[in-house]
Amino acid sequence: MAVKKFTSLLHHLNNAEDGRRWLYVPYDQVSDKIGPLAREEPEKLGIILVENPWKAARRPYHKQKLGLILANLRHFALEQARRGVAVRHVVTNGPYHLALETLSRELGQITMMEAAERELRIDLEGLTTGGAIKVIPHEGWLTKAADMEAAKSKDGSYRMDSFYRAVRQRTGILMEAGKPEGGKYSFDSENRQAWTGQPEAPAIPTFEIDEITEEVGDLINKHFAHHPGTLDLSKIPATAKDALTLWQWARENCLTYFGPFEDAMSSRSNSLFHTRISAALNICRLLPAQVVTDTLELDIPLACKEGFIRQIIGWREFVHKIHRATDGFRQQTNETAEEPGDANYKAWAKKSWHQQVDLKKNKQNVEPDGGALCSFLGSRNDLPQAYWGQQSGLNCLDTVIKTVWDEGYSHHITRLMVLSNIANLLDISPRQLTDWFWLAYTDAYDWVVEPNVMAMGTYGVGGLMTTKPYISGAAYINKMSDYCRGCRYDPAKNCPITRLYWAFLERHNDKLSGNQRLAMPLNSLKKRSLKDKSIDKAVFEKTLQILNDGQILPVDIVSQ
Ligand code: SF4
């Protein structure tokens, strides 16, 4: 791998290694504001940073994601060398434990904050249990495993609302004399406006491309050119300073309007007033404690403040804790995928992902598996090529998919109410959709996508953490977005998504019939005529087949 400029600059800046205590800093912990790097003298510490083509090759990750991680890792190495920390930058091509085992023999016991990703914890398990690596708590989280006690219901399910209330009470965040500010814990009901163009959505921030980031771009274009997605270096916050610039942009441009338009979707803006900080947060370039403190100081409407803080201290922490508590939902199933999934990449690329990457496998070493295979509804269909960029003819889907492959990002309502919704309506395998999110989004890791997609978006673990599947017909998409205005279909007449919605309820009626939150649509289903039900079913079957073939749906699919 070409590491010339970066290597020579690091060599120039680096510090003597004698007598240092060594820390392993994973790819998603690039911060000196937490852990030993925040408290101890830089001159007494050494850090190990591992670049790993094997990790990059496990899935067809979006080029932008590879760029984000690599550019931050390299800039972090230089930032720490400048502070006086000794830096060991290692390139390895296999499971992380192989490189770290060798280093531990040379450098002595290595300390690390607990890995956020289960995949990395499993990779390093032999070293952490054997003592070569000493694990200390990850200081980037605001909540503890004990906070999940409040989230657990008597029936064993977990509820974010209860978790969030307990965290607010314990921390005093947005609380006054033991009561929630404004009289209630959530202002979600006020945060459901569609966006009609005003106030204007802010332009997406861009960042300086220095020679280190440029070299990362060259490396990706040379060695990872077969990965999907567009690489746009100008949109990568690559340094500690860039992350702060992004956060400053978000505070100035987004948070005042975040609340009311939180659920809105538009073809004119991919993020509207969402802050786009999740990718930086999930590698610790920004820390939730800082983000919360800064937000509390802003002079913005309470509904906006609460809505955003709920994402940070509520949902984000909750999904991490539930992933930990359920061992990545392995407690909900005996089935796991042997290999990391490629989200049906082969149907689109016409070649298998694993045949074209040079995975250096060491058969003596156990590699992390491909994750739990959960499907409460028994959905097993393959992800259509439309998710890889093939046009489907459904404007909502095609618009969001394009932004994902352009940027490695779309905001959470498009993820839920377009991408997950349509996958649900087509009975797509929750595992495949989860793997797709994992590889396509710059902010995605196992603890992010398995709860968000497999458990919430697809109802893959039933009611474990959500009360119902997130599904809708065209009416919701039309109400909350402008997608339908540019579509070949009329949401009130011939949109196949509405037919797919009814067909979904009919197919899964047995499993959903006791669900109180679906009582209304299931009652309406009963009144639906046999003729309509037959058309619903036919539209489902035709849609699935046409999208599986990588074709565009015909305009008259409903009336055929
Ligand atoms: Fe999507 Fe239907 Fe609206 Fe078209 S009409 S954008 S397919 S919901």
Side-chain angles (χ1 to χ4, degrees), residues 393-397 422 473-475 477-478 481-492 494-498:
L394 306 168
N395 193 41
C396 47
L397 182 63
I422 293 174
I477 296 173
N478 189 33
S481 80
D482 56 15
Y483 299 142
C484 302
R485 270 179 257 155
C487 189
R488 302 141 75 228
Y489 299 106
D490 181 335
N494 65 346
C495 172
I497 289 180
T498 302

Side-chain angles (χ1 to χ4, degrees), residues 195 197-203 253 257 272-273:
W195 181 70
Q198 290 299 323
E200 217 165 287
N253 296 283
Y257 304 111
L272 287 173
F273 303 99

